Amino acid sequence: HRDWFVAVADEAAAKLSGTDQRRWLERLELVHDDIRAVLDRVVATPEPSTAIGLAFSMWRFWQKHGHLAEARRRLERMAEAPWARENPQLRARLMEALGGVYWWQGEIGMMGPCYDEALELWLAIGNEAEIANAYYNASFQYAVPDELDGRVALDTEGRGLQYLQNARELYQKLGDRHGEGNILWGLGNYKYFQEYGD
């Protein structure tokens, strides 16, 4: 039961932003209760690699299908567990997913530390593709408003801009055109809010 639903979620995760995403989102919705049961079991046991891996595969589904409150509850519970700190790669994935949930809930102040931790872990691991993505994610805490009045603190040290430039260089080195495109979008966001956010 566990293995079958983990495989479904893993396959779906790679297709949730493609042309066939609607079919995969609907498929995950149909099996969501089974996946919840698996998550409950592997967190209680615990089975860290399965729990975090499955949650990471599911977080985009949770975001796109309006399950952010559930995602937050599950990911925060995992993040607090001692076993969630044992494997740096798993921890980085967990922090990326939790940071993403905070982003979509508009919790910029809570997002930043998650993305910072993920970046620090990927830098230590040395995976360039993941480092590029982590720089991109971490840049948003310096680029978008974190207050209801829409104001954003200026990035006086230029850290957000440096993160975006670091990510762009890595994506260029890796030949990742999609990643470069994301960085251009991120740079546009950054420039807009730094110049017009007030």
Side-chain angles (χ1 to χ4, degrees), residues 78-95:
M78 286 186 208
E80 292 167 2
W83 50 259
R85 297 184 178 275
E86 294 171 359
N87 182 304
Q89 183 171 323
L90 290 175
R91 181 71 182 182
R93 294 214 185 282
L94 177 57
M95 289 298 98

Side-chain angles (χ1 to χ4, degrees), residues 84-195:
R85 297 184 178 275
E86 294 171 359
N87 182 304
Q89 183 171 323
L90 290 175
R91 181 71 182 182
R93 294 214 185 282
L94 177 57
M95 289 298 98
E96 180 181 338
L98 184 55
V101 168
Y102 287 147
W103 161 259
W104 286 103
Q105 289 188 319
E107 299 276 8
I108 307 305
M110 297 176 77
M111 174 199 76
C114 292
Y115 281 157
D116 285 342
E117 184 176 348
L119 174 60
E120 182 179 328
L121 289 165
W122 285 121
L123 284 167
I125 293 166
N127 182 313
E128 289 187 330
E130 296 291 355
I131 292 169
N133 183 60
Y135 271 129
Y136 170 71
N137 288 335
S139 74
F140 280 89
Q141 65 191 294
Y142 302 101
V144 296
D146 63 354
E147 300 293 336
L148 292 177
D149 64 6
R151 300 172 75 81
V152 60
L154 290 177
D155 183 17
T156 54
E157 296 179 6
R159 184 173 293 175
L161 184 59
Q162 187 62 57
Y163 282 179
L164 288 165
Q165 290 169 344
N166 291 349
R168 189 175 189 184
E169 288 172 11
L170 284 168
Y171 281 132
Q172 287 173 340
K173 177 182 175 183
L174 295 166
D176 185 337
R177 303 276 294 158
H178 179 76
E180 284 188 72
N182 282 341
I183 297 305
L184 292 176
W185 183 81
L187 284 165
N189 257 345
Y190 180 88
K191 298 273 188 194
Y192 174 83
F193 282 111
Q194 292 303 309
E195 294 178 19

